[in-house]
Amino acid sequence: MDRATLGFRLTQIAADSARLEPGHGIQPSDPGPVIEAVLRELQPLHIDLLYYDLERVEIIDPPYLSFLTQLQGSCRVIGVRMVCVHMQPSTAFALASWLDRPPSIEFAGGMWI
Amino acid sequence: MTPYHSRHLTERLRQLFGGRFDGLAQHLEEPARVHFGGGNNLLDEEEIGDLSLELQHLIAAQFGSADPFSCDSPEHEALQSFFINLARRVLARGGEIESLVRYTQTVQHKLIAGMEQINEIDFTRSRSVLAFVSTLFTELLLSIFRAYLGQKESTIQAQEEELRETSTPITEIWKGVLTLPIIGTLDSNRTLVVMDSLLNRIAQQHTQVVVMDLTGAGSVDSLVAHHLIQMVRAVQLMGAEAVLTGIRPEIARSLTHLELDLGGVRTRASLADGLKDAFRHIGVEVVPLRGGARHGREDRYRGRGRDERADDER
């Protein structure tokens, strides 16, 4: 399956970083195919930093958070640091209401790390 | 009120419902003038004239309607609306509920006296007429009270809202640094308001650090602690650093007692320490002016943030 089918867009934004924009096609309940496709596209770019853009993600429920955690872990394995950026206030508000411990994912306000 | 068809209509009631109403407004002007006009300064003469005439028409419509006893008829609803609107107008201009009640009671008496004079029929001695008018005006008084309570409730809500906003001022103390002094108790409603406004400010202003000062916070129970941690988490999820300051010994003890996971939360003793920490985080160091005099901007602060340096260069 190509990335359009899996529902994400990957753009290299600097020599050492790229931005991943997830679409509505992402299936957090079946993370395997998406994670493999992302890693397959990341490796040839030789980047150190991946920005996961949450600007259009409205809800982060437990399956989605688990998907993000798995994706971050997989990125670390291939030497890429993943940082989630642009979380919307309403999404953060809802997510903070059910989190019982700090998530292991790295968050930043924007792509300036 | 009891349905019309199940009522036994006395002769006097028939005469009242079929009576003439022209000129009744003049009788109704006096109570309005006494309670709202003159020194009360709530309604001017023109308004008193207009409202008395309107009231005359509405009473005539109610008495002349198919069922004058009905509380659901359009005529009765129009009469109720008149008193509700009058109550709102008078209260908005600083009038008291007491004036409204006394006005309504006086109108009740003047109505019977006025009808008596216009129609030259002795209504005052009729128990059925007195009972009907009394029941009607009790309903109207209830409408006035409902309007009064509604207005009081919205005033209290507005005051609470204002108090909530003013008791948690979010200030951008430096580009990228927000401060949030938490004063009093952090209940669920307040947490919602503060979080909503704080998270939006973080997104709009690309905030890097939020310093939450608890110096003025009340006692911390498990619910308050939960709200506090929820706020810290939400700030972190937005990609900003949260620094908690001014944690008093008793609050520290409560937090420990509640076994809350404060891992990943930066804490500093005072607001000043928290600000110092925030500046360090964004690469700014605040130093005293040399000799207390005004010097070049390089002397005022060193190691300013990226954005400030860029602004200066521009």
Side-chain angles (χ1 to χ4, degrees), chain B residues 245-258:
Chain B
T245 65
I247 303 176
R248 296 196 309 274
E250 60 269 29
I251 294 181
R253 210 162 59 92
S254 302
L255 292 173
T256 317
H257 185 69
L258 293 164

Side-chain angles (χ1 to χ4, degrees), chain A residues 78-92:
Chain A
I78 63 162
V80 176
R81 175 185 169 199
M82 187 181 106
V83 179
C84 291
V85 293
H86 297 149
M87 187 181 291
Q88 293 306 297
S90 53
T91 315

Side-chain angles (χ1 to χ4, degrees), chain B residues 185-197:
Chain B
T185 311
L186 204 57
D187 60 19
S188 301
N189 281 344
R190 198 166 160 211
T191 308
L192 282 177
V193 174
V194 174
M195 268 175 79
D196 182 49
S197 129

Side-chain angles (χ1 to χ4, degrees), chain A residues 54 65 84 86-93 95-103 107-110 112-113, chain B residues 191-192 195-196 199-200 203 206-208 226 229-231 233-240 261 263-264 306:
Chain A
L54 293 168
L65 188 65
C84 291
H86 297 149
M87 187 181 291
Q88 293 306 297
S90 53
T91 315
F93 186 90
L95 178 55
S97 66
W98 61 263
L99 275 179
D100 53 2
R101 69 189 66 169
F107 293 93
W112 52 63
I113 288 173
Chain B
T191 308
L192 282 177
M195 268 175 79
D196 182 49
L199 298 182
N200 280 304
H206 305 297
T207 303
Q208 295 176 58
H226 174 76
I229 295 296
Q230 200 178 329
M231 274 171 69
R233 294 261 158 80
V235 167
Q236 290 172 332
L237 290 169
M238 293 293 294
D261 181 13
R306 254 184 328 199

